Amino acid sequence: MAKVRYSMRVRLYTFILLLNSFATGLLVPVLSLLLIQKGATFSMLSILIGIYSFSVIILELPTGIMADIIGRKKTFCLSLIVSLLFSAVVLLGNGVVILYIGMLLYGLNRAISSGSFEALFIDSYINEFGKDKLHDVTIRINVIDALGLSAGALAGGYLPEISGKYFSSIGMYDLSLIVRIILTFIVLIFAMVYIKETVVNENKKRVFIWEHIKISSNLAANNKNVICIFISVFSTGFLFSSLETYWQPHFISLMPDNSAMFLLGVMAFMYFAAAMTGNIIYGRIFSKHNTKKMYLLLRSILVTVLIITALQTNMVLFMFFYTLIYLFLGMSNVPEGVILNGEIPNEHRASILSLNSLVLQMGVLFGSFFNSIMINHSSIPGLWFVASVVIVTTILIIYKKLV
């Protein structure tokens, strides 16, 4: 009977994660265009994205600790409320100040949400089936998140066209915000009513926040496997800083003409779908193999595919190999999550997951600073070659410690 109740809970959590990821994906293909519609200039875009990244970095760890202290459900619901505020502010406002406030809220939403619902999902799974099933829940979370993001990105690419035809009285990209608000509100209602959080500290002395920070920091600093994952995640952030920033202009440069601009939306869908497929492939084929060795192998293959992608001058081949990058990123995300979550006690899971997300964002920020200088002296494929060198270096650093 317990398994039946838990099966219902898994389906509920899956639905909440899918709907929330879909709402998040709606802005992926149009965020920059939306900001320009609301008053941003091209030069201001990088500043706005910088504000977003900076707010995530500053608030990532404190909000993760907050999730462990006050509860993951409360923290997740708070993130949804902040998401609603972001959408409403940008939808109803205009001008530079409004955009600054909006991007601060966007970063705050990202910081609060990271780790809270994921930790809640993982804790429930471990409590029911034990840590031996970490592969299953990691794959489920990654697949559903990627599915929601890819579907949301695809829908987000078509909403401006629908808005232009049937809702010409509003801004072209406002419909994306309206749909996002509706879906986020639905997720909030489901989370408040149906999520039941298991209290992980019910038989333990309640700790103060500074003591919690100290314990979580010691857990991360003294665990070689956690440190290895952090080093690897930093290099992933460095890769994302060049990959996700520059693939669009490079892709456009490979187009024979501008009549194929719709392929930008198709590409966004393809790489999210590839990440989801990678999770499924790992679960079906490689989950029984040595987790740490598979992680290092997949990271090595990722570097190879990245180099091949950088060498492409044909648009179709570029699309194929670029999609493969996310396929192997998706595959490597599973053993990465299994290794990390296998080392974390339940009561500190959200804190460590937020710290992991913080390391990723630090990699993105460092890479963005590096790339902003190097792009004046190098081509876009040159930046991807540098990212491949960074990943190879981290593989060599963590190899002995991890294996």
Side-chain angles (χ1 to χ4, degrees), residues 192-204:
M192 292 176 66
V193 174
Y194 294 110
I195 287 181
K196 307 298 181 184
E197 182 171 9
T198 302
V199 181
V200 296
N201 281 324
E202 59 185 358
N203 295 321
K204 298 183 180 181

Side-chain angles (χ1 to χ4, degrees), residues 88-103:
V89 165
V90 177
L91 175 65
L92 300 176
N94 242 318
V96 176
V97 176
I98 290 295
L99 292 180
Y100 285 161
I101 295 172
M103 293 310 285

Side-chain angles (χ1 to χ4, degrees), residues 205-255:
K205 184 178 74 173
R206 187 173 182 84
V207 297
F208 293 106
I209 185 168
W210 290 112
E211 184 181 352
H212 186 91
I213 294 173
K214 181 180 178 181
I215 295 171
S216 297
S217 300
N218 287 335
L219 282 170
N222 297 323
N223 189 305
K224 67 176 184 178
N225 289 335
V226 172
I227 292 173
C228 286
I229 294 300
F230 282 178
I231 292 172
S232 187
V233 164
F234 180 87
S235 70
T236 302
F238 188 94
L239 169 62
F240 282 156
S241 69
S242 61
L243 203 62
E244 298 191 345
T245 302
Y246 295 107
W247 77 263
Q248 297 99 329
H250 185 67
F251 182 61
I252 290 173
S253 71
L254 299 178
M255 289 182 181

Side-chain angles (χ1 to χ4, degrees), residues 19 23 30 145 174 181-182 212 242 244 296 344 361 371:
L19 200 58
V30 298
D145 187 44
D174 286 350
I181 289 172
I182 294 171
H212 186 91
S242 61
E244 298 191 345
L296 293 170
I344 306 173
Q361 290 296 325
N371 293 327

